[in-house]
Amino acid sequence: MHPVSYVAGVFLLHFLLTATFCDGIRTIGGGDGSGFGFSEAPEYRNGVECPVSANKELVSSCDPDLVHVAMTLDSEYLRGSIAAVHSVLRHASCPENVFFHFIAAEFDPASPRVLSKVVRSTFPSLNFKIYIFREDTVINLISSSIRQALENPLNYARNYLGDILDLCVDRVIYLDSDLVVVDDIHKLWNTTLTNSRVIGAPEYCHANFTKYFTNGFWSDPVISRVFHSRKPCYFNTGVMVMDLVRWREGNYRKRIENWMEIQRKRRIYDLGSLPPFLLVFAGNVESIDHRWNQHGLGGDNVRGSCRSLHTGPVSLLHWSGKGKPWVRLDARNPCPLDHLWKPYDLYKGSLIKDQSSFSSSIFLGFSTYLL
């Protein structure tokens, strides 16, 4: 099938599947200075076939019957995060059974409290909890990267999910903020992690794995031996199913930090938070169907050029790379696939200026992460 026809077909299919749910939208905030100006999302309810939680009267972040999704939340990528949440709810077979764990930076220009208010206003019935990530936890471990955005401490929050999230959360799906899910998230949640594997993700074994590390890494006979006992494949850390029990037991946070410390001394890679994950997990990942991470749609990390879909079915579209769909759409210079992101965009206004009037009562939960 011709690529243009394929993209048009995917867009038409998504429109037909979702258009009937888009009534009753109203705008939140905006010109009066009371919010970011997002439209309230449609109300997505469980069907009769959905399992009933044992704790249906008071939804808890500890409820094992729920699908647990972790995402970061900050002012720069808030528009993408809102679109990602919207996409998950729109396509979930049991949307009320999805619980979101949002990790917000302590010193974000918009405070975690403000971000929480925006989420609650946009998704009034959403089950979620906000956690504050102390940036000084990781700031001294971050080295320079080929793109400054990759040096944001919040990019490294995924390394600390086992510590940040409530200890009762034993399994989570981690999602980046520059993606949309166009399939039922419950299918991804049902991934089985075999042979005591800690994470599951789509693998790309045809990729040139050597390019993710410097020549200095590969020429060092000691540190390059890390891959001698396994066959490493590239995987993108923007979509992962994680067993947090095994993560905590294996102290994988510390293993990743150890490689970051070596990087600060030796310069063994040029990217941001991805290579340490590859060093620890590549070759020992539960392989998930590629449909769950059609990544790279943001182009490379320098130019952010347009790219097409990979061959095969699509369950998740991921604009990893420099180019973000909301930026290109606003600039009236979108890539063809950016139009597939647009139906999930609820953005209408601008960043609020006064954060002082918001009450802590807006939170379902609000936790501070201290290492």
Side-chain angles (χ1 to χ4, degrees):
M1 181 181 294
H2 193 279
V4 175
S5 300
Y6 174 65
V7 172
V10 172
F11 178 74
L12 178 60
L13 178 60
H14 293 171
F15 176 78
L16 292 174
L17 287 173
T18 62
T20 56
F21 297 97
C22 294
D23 56 347
I25 297 179
R26 63 186 178 89
T27 300
I28 303 299
D32 62 355
S34 62
F36 283 77
F38 286 90
S39 296
E40 183 178 312
E43 196 78 5
Y44 297 103
R45 294 296 186 184
N46 283 355
V48 295
E49 74 283 358
C50 294
V52 179
S53 172
N55 193 21
K56 62 181 180 179
E57 297 300 325
L58 179 62
V59 176
S60 167
S61 61
C62 293
D63 193 333
D65 296 326
L66 302 178
V67 173
H68 294 270
V69 178
M71 298 178 65
T72 57
L73 201 62
D74 68 335
S75 55
E76 182 178 1
Y77 283 86
L78 180 61
R79 188 171 172 183
S81 299
I82 293 293
V85 173
H86 187 200
S87 71
V88 169
L89 297 177
R90 177 178 283 189
H91 294 283
S93 56
C94 302
E96 293 179 272
N97 290 8
V98 182
F99 193 102
F100 285 87
H101 302 263
F102 294 116
I103 297 91
E106 182 180 18
F107 299 113
D108 189 89
S111 72
R113 180 167 296 147
V114 171
L115 295 173
S116 183
K117 179 177 176 62
V118 173
V119 173
R120 175 60 66 211
S121 299
T122 310
F123 306 102
S125 59
L126 188 70
N127 300 317
F128 74 94
K129 183 171 183 177
I130 295 278
Y131 305 79
I132 300 177
F133 179 58
R134 290 280 301 274
E135 294 167 298
D136 56 4
T137 300
V138 71
I139 193 69
N140 292 327
L141 291 171
I142 297 175
S143 57
S144 61
S145 183
I146 61 173
R147 183 160 61 91
Q148 188 173 4
L150 299 177
E151 300 169 23
N152 186 333
L154 202 58
N155 288 340
Y156 294 83
R158 74 196 81 189
N159 302 0
Y160 299 89
L161 290 178
D163 304 277
I164 297 173
L165 303 191
D166 297 323
L167 289 177
C168 57
V169 181
D170 56 14
R171 180 184 176 90
V172 72
I173 297 172
Y174 175 81
L175 296 179
D176 270 352
S177 297
D178 53 357
L179 56 78
V180 292
V181 177
V182 294
D183 201 347
D184 186 0
I185 194 72
H186 292 77
K187 297 177 183 177
L188 183 59
W189 178 253
N190 290 332
T191 299
T192 300
L193 300 180
T194 61
N195 299 323
S196 298
R197 291 190 174 100
V198 179
I199 65 172
E203 290 184 296
Y204 301 88
C205 295
H206 63 278
N208 182 2
F209 192 80
T210 60
K211 72 177 184 179
Y212 295 100
F213 304 94
T214 64
N215 291 334
F217 171 84
W218 294 112
S219 63
D220 189 305
V222 177
I223 60 176
S224 62
R225 288 180 58 189
V226 65
F227 295 122
H228 282 191
S229 61
R230 46 194 165 118
K231 184 179 179 181
C233 293
Y234 165 77
F235 65 94
N236 181 280
T237 53
V239 181
M240 296 185 291
V241 178
M242 307 176 69
D243 186 319
L244 295 183
V245 174
R246 295 172 184 170
W247 179 281
R248 294 170 182 129
E249 290 176 347
N251 200 10
Y252 284 94
R253 181 259 296 169
K254 183 58 178 176
R255 297 189 195 189
I256 289 174
E257 287 181 336
N258 288 342
W259 282 112
M260 293 175 68
E261 289 171 354
I262 293 174
Q263 161 73 356
R264 293 275 291 178
K265 300 174 183 176
R266 301 284 303 277
R267 192 67 182 181
I268 58 175
Y269 53 81
D270 294 321
L271 289 173
S273 59
L274 168 65
F277 259 86
L278 297 179
L279 287 162
V280 173
F281 291 109
N284 193 25
V285 173
E286 187 71 36
S287 186
I288 297 175
D289 194 290
H290 288 176
R291 68 189 302 155
W292 284 104
N293 197 351
Q294 286 267 353
H295 71 286
L297 304 185
D300 59 33
N301 278 302
V302 179
R303 296 182 300 274
S305 54
C306 296
R307 289 185 177 175
S308 58
L309 291 174
H310 310 161
T311 302
V314 182
S315 291
L316 186 149
L317 297 156
H318 187 187
W319 279 262
S320 56
K322 183 179 180 181
K324 302 306 173 188
W326 56 91
V327 175
R328 297 192 293 215
L329 285 163
D330 286 354
R332 300 183 183 277
N333 187 32
C335 293
L337 291 178
D338 294 345
H339 294 288
L340 298 180
W341 179 88
K342 182 61 178 175
Y344 304 98
D345 185 21
L346 296 171
Y347 184 68
K348 297 293 181 183
S350 59
L351 182 63
I352 64 164
K353 296 181 180 180
D354 182 9
Q355 303 176 10
S356 62
S357 61
F358 297 120
S359 166
S360 60
S361 63
I362 60 178
F363 296 99
L364 183 152
F366 190 82
S367 297
T368 301
Y369 166 56
L370 296 171
L371 184 62

